[in-house]
Amino acid sequence: MKETDWEAVATAVQRVAGMLQRPDQLDKVEQYRRREARKKASVEARLKAAIQSQLDGVRTGLSQLHNALSDVRDIQQSLADVSKDWRQSINTIENLKDVKEAVVRHSQLAAAVENLKNIFSVPEIVRETQDLIEHGELLQAHRKLMDLECSRDGLMYEQYRMDSGNTRDMTLIHSYFGSTQVLSDELAKQLWMVLQRALVTVRRDPTLLVSVVRIIEREEKIDRRILDRKKQTGFVPPGRPKNWKEKMFTILDRTVTTRIEGTQADTRESDKMWLVRHLEIIRKYVLDDLIVAKNLLAQCFPPHYEIFQSLLHTYHQALSARMQDLAEEALEANEIVSLLTWVLNTYTSMEMMGNAELAPEVDVALLEPLLSADVVAALLDTYMSTLTSNIIAWLRKALETDRKDWVKETEPEADQDGYYQTTLPAIVFQMFEQNLQVAAQISEDLKTKVLDLCLQQMNSFLSRYREEAQLYRDEHLRDRQHPHCYVQYMVAVVNNCQTFKESIVSLKRKYLKHEAEEGVSLSQPSMDGVLDTIAKEGCGSLLEEVFLDLEQHLNELMTKKWLSGSNAVDIICVTVEDYFNDFAKIKKPYRKRMIAEAHRRAVQEYLRAVMQKRISFRSAEERKDGAERMVREAEQLRFLFRKLASGFGEDMDSYCDTIVAVAEVIKLTDPSLLYLEVSTLVSKYPDIRDDHIGALLAMRGDASRDMKQTIIETLEQGPAQASPDYVPIFKDIVVPSLNVAKLLK
């Protein structure tokens, strides 16, 4: 308390010091005293009021506690009195057992009296109910059936309450109402028949379907009520619960499955398009059924049934099972395509589940796949295996057919530009196109795989094509009179190579999203190489045909007959031009190469004649005449090949320059300059060999031994370096065996 007093005094001092800080404030001391006195009185009054309120609350609480204690004592006394009375009444309750039994019997008799009318009228009600069922008045029939079942169940329940072990009376009641179960079964049959045809019935007579649903709803309510009573009493009437709602969905499931399976009207033996027809019928039926279910059937069922979603699930499951069954059959390649196209694309397309009339209830993104990924993969593997075998067989057959055309007596057909061709490229790529179009309907991945397969098989096919072209050439060389149109068909073979290249590029451009797709683009260069090889060999075969006809005239070159005025080169030019009139039917990329090769080979054959030592000039006059003739004939050949190559805009004169260069060596009149002339020739044509020079000097006939020795030794020191763009021309010219030492003599 002292500490509190000191604190109060200190506070008061502080307050007084704050009030009396200036002298003029001393005049207000009395005023300050009165104000503090009022505050003190106010605080004391509030304290008194608070203390009084607390005292009143404590007084009230104590009073209530006293009252509660008094009430508890009264209740305790009352419970004691009740316990005493209960112990005294036990004997009295035992004496009322007979009364209890009488009450039960009275209850049973009351139930019997209440149902007495129904009991006596059971046979009549049964007949009426039977008639109503037969006439299709299902609601009224069900109402009477409910009355019968209610009477039976009430009597059986009262009997069960009185004596649950008395099976004789229970059997008697059940037997008397035996027709009730028969009626229930017959009514159920009628309900199931309506439900089996629900999608048809809802269009013709929706009220009948509504009646069926109402009956099922009534039975469901009765089932629930009986099951609730079973928890209390343990009694369940015979035939309960009926579970008609569950059976209804079972019937609908079975109906959907039967409807889908029943759409297969044909077999593979009767119709090759059986699967396509089967799937199309399924598509049409399922779409029609779901549209009807959404727009009509759903209105006949309570919303909580969710009948449309239930049917959608049922149809999906039934379709999945059916597709699985079809996938397990030994399907052919086209049938696998039809099945996968339908499963992967058609099912979710606008033609079926994605149809606008089913939205928004059907979301195709939420539909499970009809076939599992493993089954789809197995089908694709089977398809690819079968397709590989089919493509190999088709290509072999196409080549055999084309090979038969090669021996025909009539020329091959020409395309719109006049180039010879056969039907082989069109047949092959039409087949590829068809398979790729089919694969594209299934998936992008399968399309790429099929394209890769086609290109791989094309590689193998081109090897066989090359072999057949070689055999064709060999057979012709054994008898050049047959086949009659050998040249024209060989031209067509060459043109086919270009067509194949263009078709491959077109096919890849059309069916590849990215040109650099691994495994596919890599096959292109190898095929280009094979096709170029086939075309090159074909052009070589055609040129071989030309030079076989020219052989006799080529043999006249560099002979005495030639020197005296042979027209062999004239005939050669005419023959070559005549052949190239036919070769005009070769497409430009190959015809250009062919003209260049013919030019090179013609000059080579001319030079080969020079190197054959068929003639040796005896005088400068002969050398001059021979050289001038060579120059004239070189110009003839130059003019010919300029004319043939006029459409290509390239200079092909360099080959003929070789003949002119050789003629210059022969024409030279001063033997002392022969070394210089030969050196110039060697520098221009690095592939010329010492045997070529030896033959050339032998043809001149005037080279001295020392000159020959010097020239040949100089050449032996080392060949001249060829430029990168130099095309060898002497390299393939073989000189008959000639002893160099003999030449020196």
Side-chain angles (χ1 to χ4, degrees), residues 304-315:
H304 67 273
Y305 273 50
E306 296 184 341
I307 191 65
F308 178 74
Q309 291 299 326
S310 175
L311 276 177
L312 177 63
H313 176 74
T314 300
Y315 271 102

Side-chain angles (χ1 to χ4, degrees), residues 335-374:
E335 294 170 349
I336 292 175
V337 169
S338 298
L339 181 63
L340 289 179
T341 302
W342 197 93
V343 168
L344 300 178
N345 299 322
T346 303
Y347 182 63
T348 56
S349 69
M350 295 293 294
E351 297 177 355
M352 199 169 177
M353 292 303 187
N355 192 284
E357 294 192 50
L358 297 179
E361 283 78 0
V362 178
D363 185 354
V364 294
L366 301 178
L367 293 175
E368 294 291 329
L370 289 177
L371 291 177
S372 66
D374 293 339

Side-chain angles (χ1 to χ4, degrees), residues 536 597 600-601 603-605 607-608 611 655 658 662 681-682 684-693 719 722 726-736:
K536 182 178 179 181
E597 179 61 24
R600 189 185 71 85
R601 187 165 175 183
V603 172
Q604 269 190 330
E605 293 297 333
L607 295 173
R608 186 175 284 110
M611 305 301 170
Y655 295 129
T658 311
V662 172
L681 181 66
V682 171
K684 290 177 65 177
Y685 305 102
D687 61 325
I688 196 168
R689 300 189 300 272
D690 56 354
D691 54 349
H692 295 142
I693 299 301
Y726 173 71
V727 179
I729 192 165
F730 287 95
K731 182 180 177 181
D732 299 329
I733 299 175
V734 179
V735 178

Side-chain angles (χ1 to χ4, degrees), residues 670-717:
D670 185 357
S672 63
L673 299 176
L674 191 58
Y675 172 74
L676 182 59
E677 195 67 38
V678 171
S679 299
T680 303
L681 181 66
V682 171
S683 64
K684 290 177 65 177
Y685 305 102
D687 61 325
I688 196 168
R689 300 189 300 272
D690 56 354
D691 54 349
H692 295 142
I693 299 301
L696 183 57
L697 295 176
M699 185 178 177
R700 270 187 62 89
D702 67 338
S704 66
R705 179 179 177 182
D706 292 339
M707 181 63 69
K708 294 176 183 178
Q709 181 80 25
T710 302
I711 292 172
I712 292 176
E713 286 180 356
T714 302
L715 290 174
E716 287 178 347
Q717 290 177 3

